[in-house]
Amino acid sequence: MSEKNREGKRTARERMAVEREKQKAAEKRRRALIVGASVVCVLGLAAVIGVIAANSGGDDTESESAGPVVAPSGALGKDGTAIPVGEPGAKATLTVWEDFRCPACKSFEQVYSPTIHELTDAGQLKAEYHLVTLIDNGLGGTGSRNAANAAACAQDAGKFTAYHDVLFENQPMESDDAFADKDRLIELAGKVDGLDTPVFRSCVEDGTHNSWVAKSHEAFQKGGFSGTPTVLFDGKNIYEDRSMTPEKLKQMVQEANKG
């Protein structure tokens, strides 16, 4: 074999090796986006334990959450804290605990929501959303609670899924308590057809579901979960599985529907 041919083959092998490394690096970055972001919501709060203690007895939050527990329309589950999406008779169930201020939750939604929507729309998956106030308790403020209340108000109007997506698409920086502004939450409702009504506005402004949100967060704490998002597939925590992808989740749902 001529020296020229050997050089050409060597160059081709090197190009293939470089391309494989690029693909591995891209996959590593994708997984790091999901796994790394979850660390922000857990470890970031650990750094402000003193703030947690200071806010645990905040008069404003406590007083506004002290009213009667008013669950949103259709809420299910042991504590009535689950907002269901999809066909009730679906054979596979995805349970999601989320905080609208949590950046890891936004990362999860960016990667997985198209697949979740596809599967719920097809009647193969039932998703149950639980809303918590982890960031409020850690960094202070009321944005997690107010956004969760507004999402519950959207559930009353049959618009939960669309508004849930809008909130994550417009999520502020974790340290920016922009969702505490109820006018901002109402403004975002304008992005969902038919949601911005007097009834919805009153629900948001009055904090109708604040006590329900507090009950949901209490259920999260009793569940012993370590951070948000917590994602369970038929009771098994799949968010901790670093090999998990939207494609793998879809395959798991399809397998469940064969049974």
Side-chain angles (χ1 to χ4, degrees):
M1 182 182 293
S2 70
E3 182 64 30
K4 184 176 181 180
N5 286 340
R6 281 197 296 270
E7 182 64 27
K9 288 189 174 183
R10 189 161 52 245
T11 302
R13 285 197 299 270
E14 290 172 352
R15 285 200 301 268
M16 291 175 64
V18 170
E19 184 60 30
R20 283 195 297 270
E21 288 303 315
K22 286 182 179 179
Q23 292 175 354
K24 288 179 182 178
E27 177 64 12
K28 186 176 181 180
R29 286 194 301 270
R30 184 192 68 77
R31 289 177 181 172
L33 170 67
I34 303 171
V35 177
S38 66
V39 174
V40 173
C41 277
V42 180
L43 300 184
L45 294 177
V48 288
I49 293 177
V51 180
I52 295 176
N55 284 282
S56 62
D59 293 339
D60 292 341
T61 300
E62 197 170 287
S63 63
E64 289 189 36
S65 300
V69 175
V70 180
S73 176
L76 302 174
K78 176 183 175 182
D79 299 305
T81 59
I83 293 179
V85 174
E87 292 295 327
K91 294 184 178 180
T93 302
L94 192 73
T95 304
V96 184
W97 297 81
E98 291 182 315
D99 183 326
F100 286 112
R101 287 180 70 185
C102 170
C105 298
K106 179 177 180 176
S107 295
F108 168 76
E109 289 295 336
Q110 286 175 324
V111 175
Y112 283 89
S113 64
T115 299
I116 294 173
H117 290 334
E118 176 187 347
L119 294 169
T120 53
D121 290 346
Q124 297 181 329
L125 177 70
K126 176 177 66 176
E128 296 182 347
Y129 291 91
H130 298 259
L131 309 179
V132 300
T133 57
L134 193 65
I135 307 301
D136 283 0
N137 293 346
L139 298 181
T142 58
S144 299
R145 185 201 64 192
N146 289 2
N149 172 69
C153 296
Q155 169 66 10
D156 290 338
K159 308 280 186 179
F160 172 80
T161 300
Y163 189 62
H164 163 276
D165 292 351
V166 164
L167 287 176
F168 278 117
E169 288 164 5
N170 292 273
Q171 183 190 76
M173 294 291 292
E174 184 180 14
S175 58
D176 179 2
D177 195 25
F179 283 166
D181 184 353
K182 295 176 181 179
D183 288 338
R184 174 60 176 160
L185 296 170
I186 291 171
E187 177 187 352
L188 290 174
K191 295 179 179 290
V192 179
D193 289 344
L195 179 57
D196 186 6
T197 65
V199 172
F200 174 81
R201 288 185 172 224
S202 177
C203 184
V204 172
E205 291 167 351
D206 295 343
T208 299
H209 300 295
N210 280 355
S211 292
W212 174 83
V213 173
K215 182 180 180 182
S216 180
H217 184 76
E218 182 181 353
F220 173 79
Q221 292 176 310
K222 288 180 178 178
F225 303 121
S226 59
T228 54
T230 290
V231 186
L232 311 176
F233 180 76
D234 288 340
K236 180 181 178 181
N237 193 331
I238 62 170
Y239 195 73
E240 295 176 344
D241 180 358
R242 296 196 178 192
S243 69
M244 185 58 58
T245 64
E247 293 74 22
K248 183 175 179 179
L249 173 61
K250 187 174 182 178
Q251 183 179 6
M252 292 167 64
V253 171
Q254 291 172 340
E255 287 295 323
N257 278 274
K258 288 180 180 178

